[in-house]
Amino acid sequence: MVLGVRSRLFLLSFVLVAIASLSSSVYLERKLRPMLERTVEVELLRHARMVRETLIARTGDHTVEELNRLADRLGNAVASRVTLIRNDGTVLGDSNLSEAEVRAAENHASRPEVIAALASGAGSARRYSATLRTEMLYVAVRYELRSGAGVARVALPLIEVEALVRRLRLFVAVAGLIGLVVATFVSVMAANLFARPFRSLVDKARALARGERTRIEVAPAGEIGHLAGSINRISEDLEQAVRALADERDRFHTVLEAMADAVITLDSANRVTLANPMAMEFLGLRVPPVERPLKEIIRSSELERLLDGDEPVGPISLEFDLPVARRVLTRITPMRATGGHIIVMHDVSEMRRLETIRRDFVANVSHELRTPISVILANSETLADGGVPDTDQAARFLASIHSNAERLSRLIADLLDLSKIEAGRYPLALRPTEIEPELRKAIEAMLGPARMKRQTIESSGGESRTVVADPTALEQVLLNLLDNAVKYTPEGGRIEVRLGTLDDAVRVEVVDDGPGIEPRHCSRLFERFYRVDPGRSRELGGTGLGLAIVKHLVESMGGHVGVEAASPHGSRFWFTLQSAIRSDSE
Ligand SMILES: Nc1ncnc2c1ncn2[C@@H]1O[C@H](COP(=O)(O)OP(=O)(O)O)[C@@H](O)[C@H]1O
Ligand SMILES: [Mg+2]
């Protein structure tokens, strides 16, 4: 059983008071008895002296009859037994005996008090009296008379002393009891008084432990006041620490939520303890994979092999593919405190894709450059060697050199344009631009080649439209599309440019009735160097960059491009541009 503060305080003070009163009672009792006996002895001595003086003052005969009567009277007067004994031990009178009994009384010479009184004048003894059958206290004094010396003895039964002691003992006991009752009462009061602040302290501390916000109001002085102050301070510190922790946790949470990288933490058994939203997206999970083994959610033999050992691994990086078409660069860092790991996955799919594109581009560029350069080299070497005596033939060689040089120059011009547009260094001056004049210029430029192939170029769509565009860029876009249409549409074909209005944009279409483009090529047609038939494109002087330039220019001007099949055959290249004429409300 656990006692409360109050009960303990009460018990303690009660025991203290009980011990104090008990020990003082014992002490008193111990001292009282001898003191009392001593007082009685002194009293008896006085009586004995008085008996002696009375005897000396007496003038009558000293017969047994006379002395016994005197002893009776004196015994009555002092309420004690009075005995008169001659120095030879013969009893001369006794207040408790009749004359006959006195005469028959045994000799008292051997009694210690008598011996002591005869020797030194006074003596006392305590002894069982055979005559009276009780414990007695004897005090004797010597007397000298003309008729002879003797001893006057006074005795008191010890029973009387005993009764006195008992009565005193009762007083002491009653006093102790009263003290105890008072002490109990005071103890209860004191315990209550002391326990109250403690109790309130305990209650408040309990409330604090439960997490309630509370302050302890206790008188500021004394140890309890200090204690309350300390507890208040501790609770404030605790609250601050909890708040700081919560802030920290929120920050941590926000960072994790906002991260573009996937973060997964593992315990020492490679079980997931935390996964941020990006991790769930990376792994195609809808519920947090907490508590699940890592190998269930990421199937990478390399990762598994690394983590399967007993020792913590890392920091180490590795790259692998996730099922949801993602290539991730993964960093594994051990957490020394828990024996687990942190796995951070960074999506490198786009980076890897761009790397591939760049590699392909470099390969493509080299490939495109190699042919014209080798033609130029071979032809010029032949000419230089003087291996061509015929001037006609020489002219053909020179024409070949020229056309390949032109092709190189076109290629380099296109590449430069493209890289400038991509780098954002192509000077685009976006402003409201009327489409018609640019379209007319582009058509006029293409009329020559079209006429050679007996093709017609028409434009339809009626009224003029103004778009947000750079006029030169717009003309180049139109030129490229018309050039393709003329190039890839057979003789006698029909090319049409249509203008249409969308909500707040203008759609421009270049439609031809040529062979069209198989759907499988459509999505890649706007990539650099992508051609349906590379041989034919080269033959026609194409660089394979025209549509890439178109796409980049249009997108830089805020538009979109696309291609679809025209009916019944042919292709329809389209692009949109922001309309410059705003609706009336604006
Ligand atoms: N109007 C069209 N009809 C058929 N095929 C086309 C048309 N326009 C473009 N193409 C195809 O798209 C490819 C890429 O065009 P482009 O980027 O302009 O390069 P180039 O014209 O230099 O070959 C062409 O090689 C051709 O195969
Ligand atoms: Mg082209």
Side-chain angles (χ1 to χ4, degrees):
M1 192 184 75
V2 181
L3 289 175
V5 174
R6 203 178 55 154
S7 317
R8 259 184 282 173
L9 272 175
F10 164 70
L11 221 67
L12 185 72
S13 47
F14 179 79
V15 167
L16 279 179
V17 170
I19 288 173
S21 67
L22 213 72
S23 55
S24 62
S25 298
V26 168
Y27 174 80
L28 262 178
E29 214 264 340
R30 280 273 171 88
K31 285 285 169 190
L32 262 177
R33 196 188 174 92
M35 195 189 79
L36 214 64
E37 281 179 10
R38 185 85 207 105
T39 312
V40 170
E41 208 178 304
V42 168
E43 191 68 9
L44 285 183
L45 186 66
R46 280 199 203 112
H47 289 170
R49 282 200 197 114
M50 203 199 69
V51 167
R52 180 181 67 188
E53 294 315 309
T54 312
L55 193 66
I56 291 170
R58 214 185 111 84
T59 47
D61 294 337
H62 288 169
T63 59
V64 170
E65 189 193 349
E66 285 290 313
L67 290 177
N68 193 39
R69 209 178 294 133
L70 179 70
D72 283 350
R73 284 226 305 275
L74 287 174
N76 268 338
V78 297
S80 306
R81 178 182 174 191
V82 174
T83 314
L84 299 171
I85 303 155
R86 211 161 52 201
N87 54 1
D88 62 357
T90 315
V91 177
L92 299 175
D94 191 310
S95 58
N96 282 27
L97 301 179
S98 63
E99 198 186 319
E101 285 166 329
V102 169
R103 284 187 207 281
E106 76 179 270
N107 190 290
H108 275 41
S110 61
R111 301 287 196 274
E113 72 277 5
V114 175
I115 295 170
L118 285 175
S120 62
S124 72
R126 180 195 298 215
R127 161 167 36 88
Y128 184 78
S129 156
T131 328
L132 298 177
R133 290 195 186 82
T134 176
E135 185 93 19
M136 301 283 287
L137 179 63
Y138 298 95
V139 175
V141 291
R142 197 159 59 110
Y143 66 85
E144 305 270 355
L145 291 175
R146 257 174 291 113
S147 54
V151 166
R153 191 182 74 173
V154 184
L156 200 69
L158 273 175
I159 286 174
E160 282 180 32
V161 178
E162 208 53 58
L164 216 58
V165 168
R166 229 178 284 133
R167 216 161 43 239
L168 269 171
R169 209 185 270 155
L170 191 72
F171 288 159
V172 169
V174 167
L177 216 66
I178 290 172
L180 215 60
V181 168
V182 170
T184 308
F185 183 68
V186 171
S187 292
V188 169
M189 299 257 290
N192 265 334
L193 205 68
F194 280 110
R196 200 176 304 132
F198 269 121
R199 182 86 65 78
S200 124
L201 211 59
V202 168
D203 286 349
K204 292 291 171 86
R206 267 204 199 114
L208 281 178
R210 277 198 303 272
E212 284 169 29
R213 278 204 56 184
T214 172
R215 265 193 74 82
I216 305 171
E217 313 293 350
V218 176
E223 283 95 338
I224 295 182
H226 283 306
L227 190 61
S230 301
I231 291 182
N232 279 339
R233 256 195 308 285
I234 289 171
S235 93
E236 274 160 31
D237 289 353
L238 202 69
E239 210 178 292
Q240 247 166 32
V242 166
R243 213 179 303 125
L245 270 177
D247 283 355
E248 194 62 33
R249 190 199 49 207
D250 285 353
R251 253 200 302 277
F252 176 67
H253 222 70
T254 314
V255 169
L256 272 187
E257 302 256 311
M259 262 176 98
D261 287 349
V263 179
I264 296 173
T265 60
L266 302 177
D267 61 13
S268 53
N270 293 333
R271 229 178 271 277
V272 176
T273 50
L274 184 146
N276 73 342
M278 209 30 111
M280 283 160 60
E281 197 187 310
F282 273 30
L283 300 169
L285 298 171
R286 229 165 281 133
V287 282
V290 175
E291 294 283 295
R292 284 175 65 183
L294 181 73
K295 53 181 151 193
E296 247 179 46
I297 57 168
I298 301 180
R299 279 174 229 283
S300 158
S301 52
E302 204 177 343
L303 188 66
E304 221 168 284
R305 190 177 48 72
L306 270 174
L307 291 176
D308 262 353
D310 290 334
E311 285 297 298
V313 292
I316 194 170
S317 299
L318 66 143
E319 201 175 312
F320 53 82
D321 289 312
L322 288 179
V324 194
R326 263 203 180 99
R327 183 140 192 98
V328 287
L329 180 65
T330 303
R331 179 102 179 138
I332 306 164
T333 313
M335 292 189 287
R336 306 265 172 229
T338 62
H341 289 89
I342 297 183
I343 295 183
V344 179
M345 293 190 287
H346 183 68
D347 189 352
V348 289
S349 328
E350 183 61 13
M351 202 168 85
R352 296 286 176 259
R353 194 181 70 80
L354 290 175
E355 274 171 11
T356 313
I357 289 176
R358 205 180 48 229
R359 239 194 335 266
D360 291 354
F361 178 68
V362 171
N364 282 328
V365 169
S366 328
H367 184 73
E368 291 296 325
L369 291 174
R370 199 182 299 131
T371 326
I373 286 174
S374 48
V375 171
I376 291 169
L377 270 176
N379 287 359
S380 54
E381 270 166 18
T382 315
L383 281 175
D385 287 352
V388 188
D390 186 344
T391 40
D392 263 11
Q393 224 181 335
R396 271 211 309 283
F397 270 82
L398 277 175
S400 168
I401 290 174
H402 181 79
S403 79
N404 277 288
E406 266 190 331
R407 189 170 156 201
L408 271 180
S409 141
R410 262 200 315 277
L411 197 64
I412 288 165
D414 278 359
L415 277 173
L416 278 176
D417 277 353
L418 203 57
S419 78
K420 269 196 221 158
I421 300 168
E422 277 193 332
R425 282 188 287 113
Y426 192 91
L428 280 178
L430 294 183
R431 57 166 179 265
T433 306
E434 265 199 78
I435 296 184
E436 253 74 314
E438 309 309 323
L439 180 58
R440 214 174 315 117
K441 272 192 258 174
I443 291 177
E444 256 160 40
M446 290 313 298
L447 274 180
R451 212 167 281 144
M452 298 234 293
K453 291 181 82 176
R454 291 182 288 109
Q455 294 165 333
T456 57
I457 305 178
E458 288 162 22
S459 77
S460 67
E463 82 273 29
S464 171
R465 285 175 177 83
T466 310
V467 290
V468 180
D470 176 273
T472 321
L474 177 59
E475 192 196 338
Q476 199 181 344
V477 167
L478 288 164
L479 259 178
N480 277 349
L481 292 179
L482 284 171
D483 175 60
N484 281 351
V486 170
K487 268 200 302 195
Y488 300 110
T489 305
E491 301 228 340
R494 189 168 167 276
I495 297 155
E496 194 185 344
V497 181
R498 293 180 194 153
L499 300 182
T501 310
L502 302 175
D503 282 350
D504 54 354
V506 173
R507 179 173 159 118
V508 183
E509 293 178 352
V510 179
V511 191
D512 64 58
D513 58 355
I517 298 155
E518 280 183 58
R520 66 192 167 98
H521 297 296
C522 286
S523 62
R524 302 196 57 196
L525 216 55
F526 292 90
E527 285 177 17
R528 291 170 294 195
F529 296 117
Y530 190 85
R531 289 176 278 210
V532 176
D533 180 351
R536 183 161 160 65
S537 159
R538 275 191 212 105
E539 218 172 86
L540 296 169
T543 58
L545 296 172
L547 287 180
I549 291 174
V550 166
K551 181 179 158 86
H552 275 94
L553 283 177
V554 169
E555 285 178 355
S556 303
M557 294 190 287
H560 301 285
V561 290
V563 61
E564 46 204 47
S567 65
H569 56 87
S571 38
R572 175 188 294 137
F573 284 85
W574 60 264
F575 65 90
T576 60
L577 285 173
Q578 202 78 51
S579 185
I581 294 168
R582 296 279 158 197
S583 56
D584 291 351
S585 59
E586 282 184 304

